[in-house]
């Protein structure tokens, strides 16, 4: 907000009742947000139309952050991706238009109802026979180590400087449950059985644990992750 606008606002605040000013200001902010959302939606639809016009396979990476893999269309709400949106909104793609969807360390940040909505949207947008590849933290790994009181292969996640840990085995459970690395805490935990059942409940077929794929999966996530694949 520039200096002149600030001066005008301060002048207006002096001559009208505070309650009236607050109502006006709230209305203005709502209008600004609506304009921004309409602009973002317009940009998204323009990108979708462009992708569909190419008649080439569309591959989506959900929650991509600042990562961009060749041949993939990125989706996130950080303003740095091809499609800007939150994943609890409807995907801006027609039914059966996507070849493949990939999401790495994304789904665990949502509670179960949101998670199931996201997966239902993925299934809707995928072509028949299209695939979804999922990477999530392996909660069983942390829990097994908690029971065994073994920090050894997860010790590189324990940082004495950040003050998050109390040097107890419960640190391992807190690490996977709350995720100190993100501003968005974890909302759901997975083990190998759980991720396959969630995918099946969402209507996917042939859900199975897959191998690490160095062409797309992040090496730094390799030792603490589950890798799954399923088909529409």
């Amino acid at each position: 907000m520039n200096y002149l606008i600030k001066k005008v606002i301060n002048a207006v605040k002096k001559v009208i009742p505070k309650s009236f000013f607050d109502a006006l200001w709230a209305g203005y902010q709502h209008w600004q947000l609506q304009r921004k959302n309409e602009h973002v939606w317009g940009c998204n639809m323009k990108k979708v139309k462009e992708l569909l016009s190419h008649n080439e396979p569309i591959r989506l990476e959900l929650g991509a952050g600042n990562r961009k893999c060749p041949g993939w269309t990125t989706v996130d709400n950080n303003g740095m991706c091809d499609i800007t949106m939150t994943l609890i909104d409807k995907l801006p793609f027609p039914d059966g238009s996507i070849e493949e969807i990939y999401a790495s360390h994304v789904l665990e940040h949502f509670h179960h109802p949101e998670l199931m909505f996201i997966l239902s949207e993925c299934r809707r947008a995928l072509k028949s026979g299209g695939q979804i590849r999922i990477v999530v933290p392996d909660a069983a790994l942390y829990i097994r180590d908690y029971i065994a009181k073994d920090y050894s292969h997860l010790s590189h996640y324990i940082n004495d400087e950040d003050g998050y840990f109390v040097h107890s085995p419960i640190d391992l459970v807190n690490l996977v449950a709350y995720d100190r690395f993100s501003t968005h805490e974890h909302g759901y935990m997975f083990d190998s059985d759980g991720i396959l059942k969630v995918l099946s409940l969402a209507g996917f077929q042939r859900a199975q644990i897959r191998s690490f794929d160095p062409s797309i999966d992040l090496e730094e996530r390799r030792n603490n992750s589950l890798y799954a694949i399923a088909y529409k």
Side-chain angles (χ1 to χ4, degrees):
M1 188 181 299
N2 64 39
Y3 175 73
L4 180 60
I5 293 176
K6 285 183 178 179
K7 283 192 69 174
V8 171
I9 289 172
N10 289 332
V12 170
K13 288 171 74 173
K14 292 177 181 178
V15 297
I16 66 173
K18 182 178 183 301
S19 59
F20 186 51
F21 174 83
D22 289 345
L24 284 175
W25 183 246
Y28 171 75
Q29 289 180 312
H30 176 75
W31 175 73
Q32 287 282 70
L33 180 61
Q34 189 174 26
R35 284 187 62 199
K36 179 182 177 182
N37 289 341
E38 288 172 355
H39 174 72
V40 169
W41 180 253
C43 291
N44 287 346
M45 295 312 297
K46 182 179 179 181
K47 181 64 177 180
V48 169
K49 185 177 180 180
E50 176 191 340
L51 289 167
L52 294 172
S53 70
H54 292 162
N55 293 317
E56 296 178 353
I58 300 173
R59 295 178 169 84
L60 293 186
E61 179 173 2
L62 304 183
N66 59 3
R67 189 169 87 131
K68 180 65 177 176
C69 294
W72 289 82
T73 298
T74 56
V75 181
D76 212 327
N77 66 346
N78 59 3
M80 296 187 291
C81 290
D82 300 311
I83 304 290
T84 299
M85 59 173 287
T86 63
L87 296 183
I88 55 175
D89 290 331
K90 184 180 174 71
L91 289 172
F93 288 88
D95 296 358
S97 59
I98 306 300
E99 189 77 24
E100 182 176 3
I101 294 175
Y102 177 83
S104 176
H105 284 254
V106 174
L107 296 183
E108 69 274 9
H109 292 285
F110 297 91
H111 297 291
H112 187 262
E114 297 169 331
L115 167 67
M116 298 310 294
F117 171 79
I118 294 167
L119 290 175
S120 71
E121 271 297 285
C122 290
R123 187 178 182 279
R124 177 193 65 77
L126 278 170
K127 293 180 176 180
S128 178
Q131 67 179 24
I132 182 169
R133 288 193 283 174
I134 300 296
V135 187
V136 291
D138 185 356
L141 184 67
Y142 295 83
I143 293 168
R144 282 197 300 269
D145 283 0
Y146 164 73
I147 293 171
K149 295 180 172 55
D150 177 14
Y151 281 91
S152 58
H153 73 281
L154 293 174
S155 59
H156 56 293
Y157 292 108
I158 307 299
N159 186 344
D160 291 335
E161 297 176 0
D162 62 17
Y164 188 90
F165 299 101
V166 295
H167 300 284
S168 163
I170 198 65
D171 291 346
L172 295 165
V173 179
N174 283 326
L175 182 60
V176 71
Y178 297 109
D179 183 19
R180 83 175 196 275
F181 300 107
S182 172
T183 56
H184 305 288
E185 292 184 349
H186 288 170
Y188 201 84
M189 292 193 290
F190 297 93
D191 62 6
S192 56
D193 183 57
I195 186 60
L196 300 184
K197 286 187 175 176
V198 163
L199 287 167
S200 296
L201 285 171
F204 289 98
Q205 307 296 317
R206 293 182 288 149
Q208 57 195 283
I209 299 299
R210 64 175 179 86
S211 300
F212 175 85
D213 181 354
S215 71
I216 192 167
D217 296 325
L218 295 170
E219 179 63 37
E220 59 264 33
R221 300 285 198 177
R222 186 170 189 166
N223 293 327
N224 70 332
S225 300
L226 283 169
Y227 300 89
I229 187 170
Y231 302 85
K232 180 174 178 180

